[in-house]
Amino acid sequence: MMNRIFITGTGTGVGKTVTAACVTEALQADYWKPVQTGLAEGTDTNTVKSLLSNHISVCHPEVYALEEPASPHLAARLEHTIIEPGKILQQLNSFPTDRPLVIEGAGGLMVPINEEMFTLDLIKEMNAGVIIAARNYLGSINHAMLTARMLQHTGVPVMGWIFGGDWHSNEEDIIRWSGIPRIGRIPQAEAVGKAFISEQAQLLSRPLYQLLQ
């Protein structure tokens, strides 16, 4: 059973945090975002915690919390610190292994963690399966296919797509071209609260449990 699920996105602002909240609620999993940037806007950990309805999930604290709303390597550089993957992996290995863990990344696969390491490298070190959060926008096919091909080329296990926003036929093309299945989709909502997350989690629950077997 694959207990580590890494949520990556085709880019910034595609709905990773809402996707992570839905997957966490669906599986009553634990949640962890090891590197948070842009503290002025609040943390994704607190956002996810506020959206969960179950009382089983644990939201673990970040290893690095950085002020600047920028890529991790740049935010760390501005604070005269270095993100050490070893510290991230050490915390990961301290978590229970008998529970599913949803890990949310910062941006997409090729976002730099430090001067030498990218998010993709960290995913490989974590031995996690990947769910790709995506939505339709101009250029989304290119971003989606680059993400899919990079994961497939490097041998990282991909569980599937979770699309967000309004439906577009591009989704069907991306699924066909990538050969990666759709787990589900999360529609656009005027307000995202506990009720919305719970409703979407119920719809995602069955296909997610099937993928974890």
Side-chain angles (χ1 to χ4, degrees):
M1 183 174 179
M2 186 177 293
N3 274 354
R4 294 175 179 176
I5 304 167
F6 195 101
I7 308 291
T8 194
T10 54
T12 301
V14 297
K16 289 191 309 298
T17 301
V18 170
T19 300
C22 290
V23 174
T24 300
E25 181 68 22
L27 298 174
Q28 295 189 340
D30 294 342
Y31 169 88
W32 184 44
K33 181 158 187 171
V35 182
Q36 173 74 59
T37 63
L39 294 182
E41 300 175 0
T43 69
D44 293 326
T45 302
N46 286 336
T47 297
V48 170
K49 188 182 297 184
S50 73
L51 292 172
L52 299 178
S53 298
N54 79 84
H55 301 291
I56 298 173
S57 295
V58 174
C59 293
H60 297 289
E62 304 89 355
V63 181
Y64 294 92
L66 305 164
E67 294 287 344
E68 189 70 21
S71 65
H73 88 296
L74 178 56
R77 185 190 297 166
L78 293 171
E79 293 190 24
H80 306 290
T81 190
I82 296 174
I83 294 175
E84 299 180 24
K87 287 186 177 180
I88 295 174
L89 296 172
Q90 183 178 23
Q91 183 165 326
L92 172 63
N93 291 328
S94 73
F95 298 152
T97 58
D98 59 345
R99 289 187 41 70
L101 174 68
V102 173
I103 307 165
E104 182 181 350
L109 292 177
M110 297 309 293
V111 167
I113 298 298
N114 56 28
E115 304 300 329
E116 300 176 349
M117 193 173 196
F118 296 89
T119 295
L120 177 61
D121 302 314
L122 188 60
I123 295 172
K124 292 170 71 175
E125 293 287 337
M126 289 177 167
N127 293 317
V130 173
I131 290 175
I132 310 171
R135 66 172 57 227
N136 181 65
Y137 53 87
L138 186 62
S140 63
I141 292 177
N142 180 54
H143 294 163
M145 293 304 301
L146 284 172
T147 299
R149 289 289 187 261
M150 182 63 77
L151 288 166
Q152 291 165 331
H153 177 71
T154 53
V156 174
V158 186
M159 299 171 67
W161 301 94
I162 294 182
F163 293 96
D166 298 327
W167 179 86
H168 193 281
S169 61
N170 284 351
E171 289 180 28
E172 312 307 323
D173 293 328
I174 289 168
I175 291 165
R176 176 167 54 88
W177 287 327
S178 69
I180 297 170
R182 174 173 42 214
I183 298 170
R185 68 179 338 276
I186 301 169
Q188 190 71 31
E190 291 185 7
V192 175
K194 286 188 175 183
F196 176 79
I197 296 297
S198 179
E199 179 184 13
Q200 299 308 311
Q202 290 181 29
L203 296 173
L204 292 172
S205 178
R206 184 173 179 181
L208 283 169
Y209 274 110
Q210 287 175 341
L211 285 169
L212 290 178
Q213 298 306 314

